[in-house]
Structure formats: C-alpha cells, structure tokens
C-alpha cells in the first residue's frame, strides 16, 4: 500500500469512512426520490455530483422497467453474472438493478456453499435450477465461476476438478445460449487500497459487520492468489457467445451507472405499448357494516 504520512493518512481514512456513511444514506434516499423531488431538492444544497447520480440512476431504472416489460412480453430469457473480489460492489449494483423491478420477473440467485449432497452432484447441477424460464431475468450474485475463484484459491477443489471446469464451462454456456438464454458476465474490478478501505469501513460499522466473514478476511491476505485466479478465469472462459465485461468499481456510483447503462445496451429491448389503466368505481353495499378492530390488535403507535 502507498505510504502516506500519519496525520494525512488518518484524515484520508476519516474522509473515506464519511463517504461510505453518506453512500448508505444515499441508498435510503434512492428509495424515496422521484423526478419531482429531484427538482425540489435543487436549491437545498445537494451537491451537483449526487444530484446527477440520482437523476441518472432514476432514468436508467426507468429503462430497466421498459426492459422488464419487453422481456415479459417476448419471453426473452436473461442471465446476468456478477463476479468480483469481496467488497467490489456487486451487491450494490444488483440492488439498484432490482430496486424497482417486479421480483416475479427479475430475481437474484445468491447460492450458499454447497451441502454434502450437492458436492456429489454434477458441478453445474445446482445452478441449472435457478436459470430463467421464458420472460424472466436472473442475476447471479456469484455463480458457477466460484470454482475458478474462491474454490481454487482456498483449495476447495482438486486440480482435476479445476481443469474439468474450464473444459466444461465454455460448452455449458454455449449450450445455454443455443437454448435461447442470453448470458452477460461482469467482473467488478477494485484496487488493493480500495478493498482495504471498504473492509475497514465494515469493521467499524455495526450495521455492516455481518458482511465480513472469515473467508473475506482470508481473501484479503490472498490478494495476489485471487488476482492470478481472476486472470486465468478471464482468459480461459471469455467466449464469443458469452464474453466477460470489466466494470471499474473503485467509484461505487459510477460503477452502478456504467454497469446498468451497459446492461441495457446489450439487450435489443423496446418500449411495450400498454393499454390505458382505468380505476374501476368502488362498489358500495348497503348491507355491509364494517366491524371495529379491537384495540388489543393494533400495533402500538410509537412514532
């Protein structure tokens, strides 16, 4: 890591931790903002960069809704694979993609470690059940590429299993593409210094400490091993039918916007015309009498 004088280093770390707190606050604001609110907030001292980020995020999320409607209408099947080091921002991007979409159409597959039975199956078997049906989007928060990354670095697989993976994965993905499933693969790339800062932020934030597992901490120690594994993975599994795309992710907000924008550019969607929605008139029945709810059933109004 680059040597920085003590006081300057401490100030830099405080600023970075503050930025991380602001990012969490922004995350909550994202759920509330809409275009009219953006206009109203203009004179409240919101920095231009954050205002631009929110405006672009909302615009892109609007396009994601159009993409969702097109996928449902056409029966398209889309798989988005998100890979990267621990704390690279995969979850943040996935959250922004799914934030305003229908969970029945767009879902996330984040598989835990395989159980004893799954370890005896064909390696790709447990992933196959999560693949999309017609009119669905599935985002893999880590995927079958676990074998090329964490399993390789942590010695959870044998050399023979590792080599078999690279023999199989190009044909597995070509088979999926031939069946009509579109595969888009992203690697989120962060620097050594940035990962350290994000780990430190998690260590000091009680709301984020759950994100730090012993495996995450060990991955920090094995930075160079992960780098080598990543380089081999990109070289041996970058096929024409399902190429890898690299997302520079040191800046979380730029990574989110760039990834969503690129994702939209990879699917030939168009806006689907919908019939006008009309709210039906409320039906009133003279025989219906609403019964009072007992006070004992009411949630205490503390706020």
């Amino acid at each position: 890591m680059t040597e920085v004088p003590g006081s300057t280093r401490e100030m830099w770390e405080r600023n970075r931790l503050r930025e991380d707190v602001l990012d969490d606050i922004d995350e909550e604001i994202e759920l509330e903002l809409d275009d009219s609110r953006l206009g109203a907030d203009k004179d409240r001292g919101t920095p231009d960069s954050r205002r631009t980020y929110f405006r672009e995020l909302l615009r892109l999320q609007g396009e994601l809704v159009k993409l969702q409607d097109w996928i449902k209408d056409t029966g398209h099947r889309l798989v988005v694979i998100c890979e990267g080091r621990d704390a690279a921002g995969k979850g943040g991007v996935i959250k922004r993609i799914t934030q305003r979409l229908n969970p029945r159409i767009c879902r996330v597959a984040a598989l835990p470690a395989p159980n004893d039975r799954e370890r005896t199956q064909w390696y790709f078997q447990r992933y196959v059940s999560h693949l999309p049906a017609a009119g669905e989007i599935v985002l893999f928060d880590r995927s079958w590429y676990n074998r090329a990354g964490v399993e390789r670095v942590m010695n959870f697989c044998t050399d023979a299993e590792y080599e078999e993976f690279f023999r199989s994965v190009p044909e597995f993905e070509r088979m999926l593409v031939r069946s009509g499933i579109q595969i888009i693969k992203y690697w989120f790339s962060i620097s050594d210094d940035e990962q350290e800062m994000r780990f430190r932020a998690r260590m000091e934030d009680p709301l984020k400490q759950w994100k730090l597992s012993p495996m995450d901490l060990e991955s920090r120690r094995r930075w160079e091993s992960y780098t080598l594994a990543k380089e081999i993975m990109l070289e041996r599994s970058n096929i024409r039918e399902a190429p890898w795309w690299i997302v520079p992710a040191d800046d979380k907000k730029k990574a989110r916007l760039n990834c969503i924008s690129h994702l939209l550019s990879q699917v030939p969607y168009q806006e689907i015309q919908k019939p006008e929605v009309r709210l039906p008139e409320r039906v009133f029945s003279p025989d219906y009498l609403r019964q009072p709810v007992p006070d004992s059933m009411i949630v205490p109004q503390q706020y």
Side-chain angles (χ1 to χ4, degrees), residues 124 144-145 162-178 183 185 233 235-242:
F124 296 97
W144 44 84
Y145 283 100
Y162 179 70
E163 286 302 320
E164 178 56 34
F165 171 79
F166 281 121
R167 280 192 294 269
S168 299
V169 72
E171 290 308 313
F172 174 68
E173 291 179 357
R174 289 188 182 107
M175 178 180 64
L176 297 183
V177 172
R178 285 196 302 270
I183 304 174
K185 302 186 297 197
M233 181 191 77
E235 179 183 355
R236 299 185 66 178
S237 60
N238 186 43
I239 60 175
R240 179 180 59 82
E241 296 85 350

Side-chain angles (χ1 to χ4, degrees), residues 34-89:
D34 56 30
D35 288 331
S36 61
R37 288 279 303 277
L38 280 171
D41 284 348
K42 188 172 183 179
D43 297 321
R44 297 182 186 174
T46 305
D48 288 341
S49 60
R50 291 174 68 200
R51 190 164 62 246
T52 299
Y53 166 70
F54 287 132
R55 184 177 291 112
E56 281 302 294
L57 180 65
L58 288 164
R59 181 185 69 79
L60 291 170
Q61 288 178 330
E63 291 299 313
L64 284 170
V65 172
K66 296 177 185 177
L67 169 68
Q68 169 188 257
D69 292 342
W70 179 84
I71 283 179
K72 180 182 178 183
D73 187 71
T74 62
H76 192 71
R77 291 179 288 169
L78 178 62
V79 165
V80 181
I81 289 175
C82 297
E83 293 285 347
R85 296 178 189 274
D86 296 305

Side-chain angles (χ1 to χ4, degrees), residues 81-182:
I81 289 175
C82 297
E83 293 285 347
R85 296 178 189 274
D86 296 305
K90 302 179 296 296
V93 172
I94 290 171
K95 183 180 293 185
R96 273 69 181 187
I97 291 173
T98 61
Q99 202 169 54
R100 300 177 189 275
L101 300 185
N102 184 343
R104 294 183 178 87
I105 297 173
C106 180
R107 53 191 170 82
V108 179
L111 277 62
N115 59 34
D116 291 341
R117 180 175 181 274
E118 288 171 333
R119 289 190 184 95
T120 68
Q121 295 175 341
W122 174 50
Y123 175 70
F124 296 97
Q125 188 167 335
R126 72 191 193 112
Y127 296 100
V128 169
S129 62
H130 294 274
L131 293 172
E136 293 181 351
I137 308 167
V138 176
L139 296 102
F140 280 91
D141 186 353
R142 296 199 183 277
S143 65
W144 44 84
Y145 283 100
N146 274 339
R147 174 136 296 175
V150 62
E151 290 192 18
R152 176 61 170 176
V153 174
M154 298 296 180
N155 297 315
F156 293 158
C157 66
T158 65
D159 290 346
E161 289 171 332
Y162 179 70
E163 286 302 320
E164 178 56 34
F165 171 79
F166 281 121
R167 280 192 294 269
S168 299
V169 72
E171 290 308 313
F172 174 68
E173 291 179 357
R174 289 188 182 107
M175 178 180 64
L176 297 183
V177 172
R178 285 196 302 270
S179 75
I181 297 176
Q182 182 180 5

Side-chain angles (χ1 to χ4, degrees), residues 19-36:
E19 287 175 11
D20 212 65
V21 171
L22 286 174
D23 187 67
D24 289 343
I25 295 171
D26 289 348
E27 187 175 309
E28 298 305 316
I29 294 174
E30 288 168 16
L31 298 174
E32 304 295 334
L33 284 175
D34 56 30
D35 288 331
S36 61

